[in-house]
């Protein structure tokens, strides 16, 4: 069982829409960040893949966070302005937000398509 909370995370002049899923028991020490593909990708699609994965991870005691890059889904901004560097900035903003609230001791990344490319950028 998981508890999901929706957040708005400021980055530059925009806001990212994020969902943090935590197990209902215990303290989440491990966190998985889910990076959707683009263009047109989003944290809640397709077919709720990431929402289902969050539920399975939560059942195993693992927390997760999924978010929409700027210009996608419920986040503000324009996808036209997307660059890898900008998406890495989004990823770092989400990580900083989660670190400040949950203090996970271990992180993992799951990326789909272009999200996987962003996740491979060094020095996160």
């Amino acid at each position: 069982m998981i508890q999901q909370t929706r957040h708005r995370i400021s980055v530059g002049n925009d806001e990212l829409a994020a969902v943090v899923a935590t197990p209902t028991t215990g303290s989440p020490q491990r966190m998985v960040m889910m990076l959707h593909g683009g263009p047109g990708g989003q944290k809640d699609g397709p077919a709720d893949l990431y929402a289902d994965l969050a539920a399975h991870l939560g059942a195993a005691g693992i927390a997760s966070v999924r978010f929409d890059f700027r210009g996608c889904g419920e986040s503000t901004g324009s996808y036209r302005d997307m660059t890898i560097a900008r998406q890495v900035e989004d990823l770092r903003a989400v990580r900083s937000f989660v670190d400040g609230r949950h203090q996970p001791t271990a992180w993992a990344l799951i990326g789909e398509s272009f999200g996987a490319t962003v996740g491979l950028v060094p020095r996160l």
Side-chain angles (χ1 to χ4, degrees):
M1 196 56 97
I2 59 170
Q3 176 182 354
Q4 297 191 76
T5 55
R6 293 189 173 270
H7 303 276
R8 303 294 293 181
I9 301 169
S10 294
V11 60
N13 293 324
D14 295 307
E15 288 187 330
L16 304 175
V19 177
V20 177
T22 54
T24 55
T25 58
S27 173
Q29 298 298 306
R30 298 171 292 169
M31 179 71 67
V32 174
M33 182 179 292
M34 301 176 198
L35 308 174
H36 67 76
Q42 58 183 316
K43 68 184 175 334
D44 294 322
D48 295 325
L49 170 70
Y50 287 146
D52 289 345
L53 181 55
H56 288 288
L57 289 168
I62 301 169
S64 64
V65 59
R66 60 191 190 273
F67 68 97
D68 293 326
F69 287 107
R70 281 181 275 185
C72 297
E74 298 174 319
S75 292
T76 64
S78 172
Y79 192 80
R80 242 183 337 204
D81 299 328
M82 183 280 298
T83 64
I84 291 175
R86 183 178 149 136
Q87 288 193 317
V88 169
E89 183 181 5
D90 293 354
L91 184 155
R92 288 180 175 154
V94 171
R95 178 168 178 171
S96 178
F97 176 86
V98 172
D99 280 342
R101 282 156 184 78
H102 298 282
Q103 296 88 36
T105 57
W107 277 92
L109 295 173
I110 294 174
E112 168 193 11
S113 188
F114 198 76
T117 302
V118 173
L120 290 174
V121 175
R123 292 180 290 197
L124 296 178

